[in-house]
Amino acid sequence: MENKDLLNIAKEYGSPVYVYDSATIISQYNRLTSAFKGVKKLKLNYAVKALSNIAILKLMNALGSGLDTVSVQEVQLGLEAGFAPEDIIFTPNGVSMEEIEKVAALGAQINIDNLSILEQFGSKHPNTPVCIRINPHVMAGGNSNISVGHIDSKFGISIHQIPHLLRIVENTGMHVNGIHMHTGSDILDIEVFLYASEILFETAKNFKDLEFIDFGSGFKVPYKEGDIETNIEELGKKLTKRFNDFCKETGKDLTLSFEPGKFLVSQAGFFVARVNVVKQTTSTVFASIDSGFNHLIRPMFYNSYHEIFNLTNPKGKERFYSVVGYICETDTFGNNRRIAEISEGDLLCFRNAGAYCFTMASNYNSRYRPAEVLWHDGQALLIRKRETFEDLIRNQVDVTIKLPESNKELVKKS
Ligand SMILES: *Cc1c(COP(=O)(O)O)cnc(C)c1O
């Protein structure tokens, strides 16, 4: 996909618009599978919450991926996209017993992350195989919001509670077929990841019917030049050897699973928006685009960096800009960015707009959520229409509001 293709897409479908390049998703998928080609049974379960458009899910299905889901609705989307229920794993946090039972009835693999539900579910459904999410208490990455394996995290069952966990499994006679960890969204240090894996291997020895070990995700992709990226190839080499040794030692023929979101889709995504106003102030030049954190919240929410370039005037002289949105809040996309000279009407493009961008979009300020386009095989496929006013009022219930007489008097007087 080239810049001219993005320009044509914006021309045809308007702005702002999300565009996903299938070639990038396919090559990331192949990169991960080839890093682990030495594992006999490898299963990738794409994390739906990163980008949940059904066309993307269908692409994942065609690649041979399974799905990692966090709500019954994501499970339903997966089924809608053609996945077999057994290729879907449900890894929620803090959901009700009813929701877990609903997903179990649909036939997806259940993953439980607290002792309370484990005991309830095991007592009621001892024959339904269950995976258990362990918290190995390992900090992978630096930001405490996205490192979920550490001691204060709400995710997973603490390794210090393994004795209690084993008692529940024994008392209920439930069938544990998998164990899982997901240490967060920033694997910078492979050694830290391997250290957490050792804890998982140690835990795995407790379960005689184990079929798979799920190492979660958190593979880091570069957002700007010089960013550290997870060295997948090195991780593949080291973990493959350790995993195969573990299978040999324990005489088990296990599946190794991962649930990547960002790694597969982040770099495939581009967000294109139009500049409404170029505004000079005493301290900076603002470029205001026809979007805001209602469409792309990551910069304001996580302080994430998304590279921004000028699609319309890529060769222009570079100047400094603060790129901001059009909603009535501070919604800065990037401060003090060097961008080829911007004129009103230009189209700006954001990189790394595949993961956690559209899926976090809202209707704040009563704006429509953008269209989504998949670039596949040299063709632009519209995969989600831009919303319309109909969408904003679809679920609103029209009622008649009458004021009491006393208020009417007041209104008249004033
Ligand atoms: C969000 C999530 C993932 C995906 O994380 P990425 O950083 O996008 O790869 C995987 N597993 C679980 C349980 C998740 O909640």
Side-chain angles (χ1 to χ4, degrees):
M1 190 173 65
E2 294 169 35
N3 286 357
K4 71 166 173 33
D5 302 318
L6 286 167
L7 283 167
N8 285 335
I9 288 167
K11 200 171 180 188
E12 181 161 3
Y13 299 105
S15 73
V17 61
Y18 278 101
V19 185
Y20 312 115
D21 185 4
S22 69
T24 304
I25 296 175
I26 295 165
S27 81
Q28 287 293 91
Y29 188 88
N30 292 339
R31 211 180 129 199
L32 196 49
T33 48
S34 69
F36 286 88
K37 61 178 182 299
V39 173
K40 205 169 98 196
K41 294 187 190 167
L42 176 74
K43 181 83 199 193
L44 301 186
N45 295 314
Y46 165 63
V48 175
K49 73 179 186 296
L51 176 59
S52 55
N53 190 294
I54 288 175
I56 300 295
L57 303 186
K58 283 184 173 171
L59 172 62
M60 296 297 176
N61 195 5
L63 286 168
S65 179
L67 295 182
D68 173 63
T69 57
V70 294
S71 67
V72 63
Q73 291 81 3
E74 284 190 353
V75 175
Q76 288 169 315
L77 280 178
L79 296 173
E80 188 77 25
F83 282 85
E86 57 270 24
D87 285 329
I88 303 176
I89 181 165
F90 183 50
T91 308
N93 173 260
V95 307
S96 69
M97 176 74 175
E98 289 70 36
E99 185 168 345
I100 292 176
E101 287 178 315
K102 234 186 238 171
V103 171
L106 290 172
Q109 168 74 48
I110 302 298
N111 188 356
I112 293 180
D113 98 325
N114 65 83
L115 293 177
S116 167
I117 294 280
L118 188 72
E119 186 169 331
Q120 293 174 62
F121 193 87
S123 306
K124 256 177 105 176
H125 312 281
N127 297 320
T128 305
V130 160
C131 173
I132 293 176
R133 179 171 185 171
I134 302 296
N135 183 343
H137 300 311
V138 171
M139 276 283 267
N143 185 331
S144 62
N145 292 319
I146 47 179
S147 301
V148 294
H150 62 94
I151 196 97
D152 291 327
S153 160
K154 67 166 187 165
F155 298 98
I157 297 170
S158 165
I159 39 152
H160 304 303
Q161 291 176 306
I162 297 292
H164 190 179
L165 188 164
L166 292 176
R167 172 160 295 177
I168 291 171
V169 171
E170 196 185 323
N171 287 347
T172 57
M174 68 192 300
H175 172 50
V176 176
N177 67 340
I179 55 165
H180 166 274
M181 71 168 185
H182 172 62
T183 55
S185 276
D186 264 326
I187 301 175
L188 290 168
D189 189 341
I190 287 177
E191 295 308 319
V192 174
F193 188 83
L194 292 171
Y195 176 77
S197 304
E198 285 308 317
I199 294 169
L200 213 53
F201 286 128
E202 207 43 53
T203 311
K205 291 180 183 161
N206 290 297
F207 304 100
K208 60 178 191 335
D209 301 328
L210 211 66
E211 292 160 18
F212 66 93
I213 302 181
D214 186 335
F215 293 87
S217 179
F219 305 124
K220 196 168 160 56
V221 297
Y223 276 68
K224 57 172 181 279
E225 222 169 292
D227 263 4
I228 305 169
E229 179 179 9
T230 304
N231 189 337
I232 291 291
E233 289 69 27
E234 190 192 338
L235 180 68
K237 241 182 242 159
K238 291 187 168 163
L239 188 59
T240 296
K241 179 170 184 328
R242 184 63 188 95
F243 185 80
N244 289 343
D245 286 349
F246 180 79
C247 288
K248 214 184 263 169
E249 271 167 40
T250 54
K252 287 186 161 101
D253 189 19
L254 299 173
T255 297
L256 189 164
S257 315
F258 282 117
E259 11 175 83
K262 195 180 269 185
F263 183 81
L264 295 180
V265 298
S266 173
Q267 296 160 100
F270 298 84
F271 181 57
V272 181
R274 191 174 296 279
V275 176
N276 285 333
V277 182
V278 175
K279 179 178 187 173
Q280 308 254 358
T281 68
T282 48
S283 60
T284 188
V285 185
F286 287 105
S288 304
I289 58 173
D290 60 353
S291 182
F293 69 58
N294 49 329
H295 297 150
L296 176 56
I297 201 172
R298 298 186 77 258
M300 291 305 290
F301 195 33
Y302 298 122
N303 200 21
S304 309
Y305 185 100
H306 286 261
E307 194 189 313
I308 305 168
F309 64 97
N310 190 341
L311 255 186
T312 320
N313 181 29
K315 299 229 160 69
K317 187 171 162 3
E318 287 189 341
R319 303 187 59 185
F320 287 95
Y321 296 95
S322 289
V323 179
V324 296
Y326 65 178
I327 61 174
C328 293
E329 299 269 355
T330 300
D331 58 347
T332 309
F333 290 107
N335 250 327
N336 215 28
R337 295 292 183 86
R338 232 193 154 100
I339 301 172
E341 182 152 16
I342 299 175
S343 308
E344 291 177 357
D346 277 357
L347 289 166
L348 300 189
C349 185
F350 293 68
R351 289 190 199 277
N352 288 77
Y356 309 105
C357 291
F358 184 91
T359 48
M360 285 191 174
S362 76
N363 290 118
Y364 186 47
N365 273 211
S366 297
R367 296 291 187 180
Y368 307 142
R369 276 177 296 184
E372 290 180 291
V373 170
L374 179 64
W375 181 259
H376 182 64
D377 236 356
Q379 267 192 318
L381 309 169
L382 181 67
I383 58 172
R384 189 191 300 265
K385 296 181 202 163
R386 185 178 312 286
E387 287 180 333
T388 63
F389 190 68
E390 263 308 298
D391 295 305
L392 292 186
I393 58 171
R394 182 184 311 282
N395 292 326
Q396 301 201 39
V397 179
D398 194 14
V399 293
T400 309
I401 308 289
K402 276 196 185 132
L403 289 179
E405 288 304 316
S406 53
N407 265 77
K408 280 188 186 160
E409 290 305 308
L410 278 174
V411 170
K412 253 185 227 152
K413 270 178 211 151
S414 64

